[in-house]
């Protein structure tokens, strides 16, 4: 597999963790003795041709000479025949000191680069943040708010059905606005009343009501004349009240017919003077 021919060279420069390599001709005969020759193929994008392994290979020397050299080299780190082989890339400073640079594992003949610890943490954190964001978006889609009831949850429908239902309701509302009966309004709740009182209080504190000012009489008359007129009106009303009271008293007096019928002869016998 040639990464340059398949357009994988830019990916290799950016992040080699995204690519893999294998050679089908080597897979049936792959073993611990030839795994380093398999990894040293020219088409392998993970192999550095400026390493010490390439120098020893061109000189047809043994790989044991790598311990006496300095620079980049590849060594077999772990073997689990026939499925798993691990190869390490390291920079040798002395026969007893070497700094690891990268690890590669071969599974069933396919070569992959093992991710470093920073890449693992970065991938896990990004995955966690993505799933958390998806969960929050999904949860917020089920949140509902009503002025009289506050916030609540509605899990009876998902986003698609809710959107479709909203479109259908909007179309029906446009076509049947005049035919529908007026909806009965719900009474206000304690939450609404307290909220409205708080808003009105804030408005009164910010914009207090102006004090009433004294204005002149628009008719141009004297206030004393108005007071006299009111007194005259009150006096007339008092006279009419006296007249009404007199009429009532007159109505309550006994009539002459009643006096004539009774007469002085109608005095009870016990009250007559005895002769």
């Amino acid at each position: 597999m040639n990464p340059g021919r398949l357009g994988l060279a830019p990916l290799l420069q950016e992040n080699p963790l995204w690519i893999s390599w294998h050679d089908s001709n080597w897979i049936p005969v792959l073993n611990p003795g030839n795994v380093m020759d398999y990894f040293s193929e020219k088409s392998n994008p993970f192999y550095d041709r400026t390493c010490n392994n390439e120098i020893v290979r061109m000189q047809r020397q043994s790989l044991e000479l790598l311990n006496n050299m300095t620079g980049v080299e590849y060594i077999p780190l772990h073997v689990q025949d026939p499925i798993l082989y691990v190869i390490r890339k390291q920079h040798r400073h002395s026969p007893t000191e070497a700094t690891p640079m990268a690890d590669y594992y071969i599974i069933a003949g396919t070569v992959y680069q093992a991710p470093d610890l920073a890449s693992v943490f970065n991938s896990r954190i990004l995955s966690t943040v993505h799933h958390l964001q998806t969960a929050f978006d999904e949860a917020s889609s089920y949140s509902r708010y009503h002025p009289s009831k506050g916030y609540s949850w509605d899990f009876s429908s998902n986003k698609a059905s809710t959107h479709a239902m909203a479109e259908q309701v909007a179309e029906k509302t446009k076509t049947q606005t005049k035919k529908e009966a007026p909806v009965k309004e719900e009474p206000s709740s304690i939450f609404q009343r307290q909220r409205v009182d708080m808003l009105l209080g804030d408005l009164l504190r910010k914009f207090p009501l102006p004090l009433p000012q004294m204005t002149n009489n628009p008719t141009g008359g004297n206030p004393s004349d108005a007071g006299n007129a009111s007194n005259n009106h009150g006096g007339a009303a008092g006279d009419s009240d006296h007249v009404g009271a007199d009429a009532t008293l007159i109505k309550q007096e006994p009539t002459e017919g009643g006096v004539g019928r009774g007469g002085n002869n109608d005095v009870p016998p016990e009250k007559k003077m005895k002769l």
Side-chain angles (χ1 to χ4, degrees), residues 231-248:
N231 292 331
N232 295 333
H233 180 71
D239 295 340
S240 62
D241 294 339
H242 287 298
V243 173
D246 295 340
T248 306

Side-chain angles (χ1 to χ4, degrees), residues 10-29:
L11 293 178
L12 180 62
Q13 296 176 0
E14 294 179 1
N15 192 351
L17 300 175
W18 298 348
I19 63 175
S20 61
W21 174 85
H22 71 277
D23 190 346
S24 302
N25 297 327
W26 280 84
I27 293 176
V29 296

Side-chain angles (χ1 to χ4, degrees), residues 178-194:
K178 298 181 180 180
K179 298 180 181 180
E180 290 180 355
V183 181
K184 184 179 179 180
E185 297 182 358
E186 296 183 2
S188 62
S189 63
I190 299 177
F191 170 77
Q192 289 177 319
R193 290 194 292 270
Q194 292 177 351

Side-chain angles (χ1 to χ4, degrees), residues 31-44:
N31 57 64
N34 59 10
V35 65
M36 292 302 300
D37 295 333
Y38 174 65
F39 188 83
S40 301
E41 285 289 325
K42 295 181 179 180
S43 59
N44 184 6

Side-chain angles (χ1 to χ4, degrees), residues 98-142:
T99 303
M101 300 176 63
D103 290 337
Y104 305 92
Y105 57 93
I106 304 173
I107 298 179
T110 304
V111 182
Y112 305 92
Q113 180 173 342
D116 56 324
L117 191 60
S119 300
V120 173
F121 281 142
N122 188 23
S123 176
R124 294 294 185 270
I125 291 173
L126 288 177
S127 178
T128 303
V129 170
H130 171 70
H131 291 300
L132 286 175
Q133 185 65 37
T134 304
F136 281 127
D137 294 340
E138 185 71 17
S140 62
S141 65
Y142 297 117

Side-chain angles (χ1 to χ4, degrees), residues 18-166:
W18 298 348
I19 63 175
S20 61
W21 174 85
H22 71 277
D23 190 346
S24 302
N25 297 327
W26 280 84
I27 293 176
V29 296
L30 193 60
N31 57 64
N34 59 10
V35 65
M36 292 302 300
D37 295 333
Y38 174 65
F39 188 83
S40 301
E41 285 289 325
K42 295 181 179 180
S43 59
N44 184 6
F46 302 109
Y47 183 70
D48 185 4
R49 288 169 182 77
T50 61
C51 63
N52 294 336
N53 297 69
E54 189 68 17
I55 296 174
V56 172
R57 183 181 179 186
M58 292 175 62
Q59 295 177 356
R60 298 181 183 275
Q61 300 291 331
S62 174
L63 294 178
E64 295 179 358
L65 295 176
L66 294 175
N67 295 330
N68 300 325
M69 302 175 66
T70 58
V72 178
E73 64 182 19
Y74 295 90
I75 60 171
L77 183 65
H78 177 73
V79 175
Q80 186 177 343
D81 191 47
I83 189 68
L84 177 63
Y85 305 93
V86 180
I87 297 175
R88 169 167 291 180
K89 179 182 181 181
Q90 62 185 9
H91 188 279
R92 181 169 293 280
H93 304 283
S94 66
T96 58
E97 183 181 0
T99 303
M101 300 176 63
D103 290 337
Y104 305 92
Y105 57 93
I106 304 173
I107 298 179
T110 304
V111 182
Y112 305 92
Q113 180 173 342
D116 56 324
L117 191 60
S119 300
V120 173
F121 281 142
N122 188 23
S123 176
R124 294 294 185 270
I125 291 173
L126 288 177
S127 178
T128 303
V129 170
H130 171 70
H131 291 300
L132 286 175
Q133 185 65 37
T134 304
F136 281 127
D137 294 340
E138 185 71 17
S140 62
S141 65
Y142 297 117
S143 176
R144 301 291 183 269
Y145 177 76
H146 193 275
S148 62
K149 299 178 182 179
Y151 287 96
S152 62
W153 298 101
D154 183 11
F155 298 99
S156 60
S157 60
N158 54 16
K159 290 183 179 180
S161 61
T162 303
H163 183 67
M165 187 180 298

